[in-house]
């Protein structure tokens, strides 16, 4: 079990740091698939693992020739923190207050599968679509709010949503979108962990596997970031698309398994 959860953390965050997925979008459906933990515990495991990956990735990126759009990414991150608080509050209301964890699991898997399908289609045909360069600060903040709301509610950290939005609305190439996505994920996962610590009793969760997943997340961040500057935009985009397709099928399976 310890080795399994270490490998999940390592694999998810290695892919996540390379393609900007973060890792939560992989960890959440995979842990759903194994069924060892409830949705709330999975959220804590995922957030802590992805946050550890994002921390080491950002430290390594400082020494790399990577273009971070710090102003716009910071605005998106600020909006996503606020949206994340509301998304988590809505999630807690349904899972904890109403006690409909199973129904929420089904809904999360269906909604995530639909979003992943849309993202996959966008990246497959983006060459034929118009892309934008949004500069209005209020709109950027609002975009971050929606991303944070969805990501927190789904418990995925926002990776694929961030990358798609940064590509479509800010005309970023695959490498820059991936790196800016990690920057946003760092703040969104930090806020998710702070919110969990303030609003819930951490002692109620079974976090026995957390240290092993965090170690996997740290190694995944180190390994993944070391590959980023060696890969071309096309290679990163291909990794992103393959990962999205695999996660999509896992979510479809989870819908039926629920």
């Amino acid at each position: 079990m310890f080795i399994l959860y270490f490998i999940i953390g390592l694999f998810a965050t290695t892919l996540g740091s390379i393609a900007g997925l973060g890792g939560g979008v992989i960890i959440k459906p995979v842990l759903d698939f194994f069924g060892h933990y409830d949705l709330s515990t999975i959220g804590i495991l995922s957030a802590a693992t992805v946050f550890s990956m994002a921390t080491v990735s950002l430290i390594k990126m400082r020494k790399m020739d990577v273009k971070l759009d710090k102003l716009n990414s910071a605005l998106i991150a600020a909006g996503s923190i606020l949206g994340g608080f509301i998304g988590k509050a809505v999630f807690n209301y349904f899972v904890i207050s109403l006690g409909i964890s199973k129904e929420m699991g089904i809904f999360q898997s269906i909604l995530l599968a639909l979003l992943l399908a849309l993202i996959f289609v966008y990246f497959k045909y983006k060459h034929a679509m118009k892309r934008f360069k949004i500069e209005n600060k209020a709109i950027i903040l609002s975009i971050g709010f929606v991303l944070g709301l969805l990501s927190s509610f789904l418990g995925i950290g926002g990776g694929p949503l961030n990358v798609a939005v940064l590509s479509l609305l800010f005309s970023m190439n695959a490498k820059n979108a991936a790196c800016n996505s990690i920057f946003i994920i760092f703040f969104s996962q930090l806020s998710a962990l702070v919110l969990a610590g303030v609003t819930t009793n951490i002692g109620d969760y079974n976090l026995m596997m957390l240290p092993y997943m965090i170690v996997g997340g740290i190694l995944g961040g180190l390994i993944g970031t070391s590959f980023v500057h060696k890969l071309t935009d096309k290679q990163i985009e291909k990794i992103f698309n393959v990962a999205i397709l695999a996660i999509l099928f896992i979510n479809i399976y989870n819908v039926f398994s629920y």
Side-chain angles (χ1 to χ4, degrees):
M1 285 285 286
F2 301 135
I3 295 172
L4 172 64
Y5 278 81
F6 167 76
I7 291 173
I8 291 171
L10 175 64
F11 177 75
T13 53
T14 299
L15 269 182
S17 58
I18 291 173
L21 292 168
V25 72
I26 300 172
I27 293 170
K28 198 273 177 186
V30 169
L31 295 193
D32 271 348
F33 171 79
F34 285 113
H36 297 151
Y37 296 106
D38 59 38
L39 292 177
S40 297
T41 304
I42 289 172
I44 298 291
L45 293 171
S46 175
T49 305
V50 174
F51 176 71
S52 64
M53 176 278 296
T55 302
V56 288
S57 293
L58 287 177
I59 292 170
K60 283 205 70 175
M61 282 179 193
R62 292 177 63 186
K63 302 176 183 178
M64 294 167 52
D65 184 22
V66 174
K67 184 181 178 182
L68 282 177
D69 188 345
K70 291 185 179 178
L71 177 59
N72 287 339
S73 291
L75 285 170
I76 294 172
S80 72
I81 290 171
L82 179 58
F85 285 147
I86 295 175
K88 182 57 72 174
V90 172
F91 173 83
N92 288 341
Y93 174 74
F94 284 107
V95 173
I96 298 173
S97 300
L98 297 185
I100 52 173
S101 181
K102 181 180 179 180
E103 291 80 359
M104 275 299 298
I106 296 170
F107 181 71
Q108 279 183 321
S109 294
I110 292 172
L111 181 56
L112 183 54
L114 289 173
L115 288 172
L116 291 173
L118 288 173
I119 291 169
F120 181 79
V121 170
Y122 163 69
F123 275 100
K124 188 170 179 62
Y125 298 103
K126 74 172 185 177
H127 60 277
M129 297 181 185
K130 181 181 178 181
R131 295 201 287 170
F132 304 90
K133 185 84 173 172
I134 293 177
E135 296 180 355
N136 185 289
K137 305 290 188 297
I139 294 176
I140 295 171
L141 202 61
S142 300
I143 291 168
F145 177 83
V146 174
L147 287 175
L149 181 70
L150 283 171
S151 302
S152 183
F153 179 75
L154 293 172
I156 61 169
L161 298 176
N162 294 343
V163 174
V165 165
L166 291 169
S167 172
L168 175 63
L169 301 183
F170 297 90
S171 298
M172 290 188 187
N173 59 34
K175 187 176 292 188
N176 286 335
C179 293
N180 280 274
S181 175
I182 298 298
F183 181 80
I184 296 165
I185 285 168
F186 172 84
F187 292 100
S188 66
Q189 294 307 282
L190 175 59
S191 66
L193 290 171
V194 170
L195 182 64
V198 170
T199 60
T200 61
N201 183 5
I202 297 297
D204 292 341
Y205 296 104
N206 179 4
L207 301 178
M208 187 181 296
M209 297 297 165
L210 183 58
Y212 305 95
M213 294 191 72
I214 287 178
V215 172
I218 291 170
L219 290 175
L222 292 171
I223 295 168
T225 310
S226 67
F227 277 104
V228 169
H229 71 285
K230 298 177 183 177
L231 298 173
T232 64
D233 285 328
K234 192 171 183 180
Q235 289 171 325
I236 290 175
E237 198 166 303
K238 187 173 289 186
I239 291 170
F240 179 89
N241 287 334
V242 170
I244 289 293
L245 203 56
I247 303 161
L248 174 61
F249 284 121
I250 293 173
N251 274 282
I252 292 171
Y253 175 84
N254 286 342
V255 171
F256 290 102
S257 69
Y258 268 116

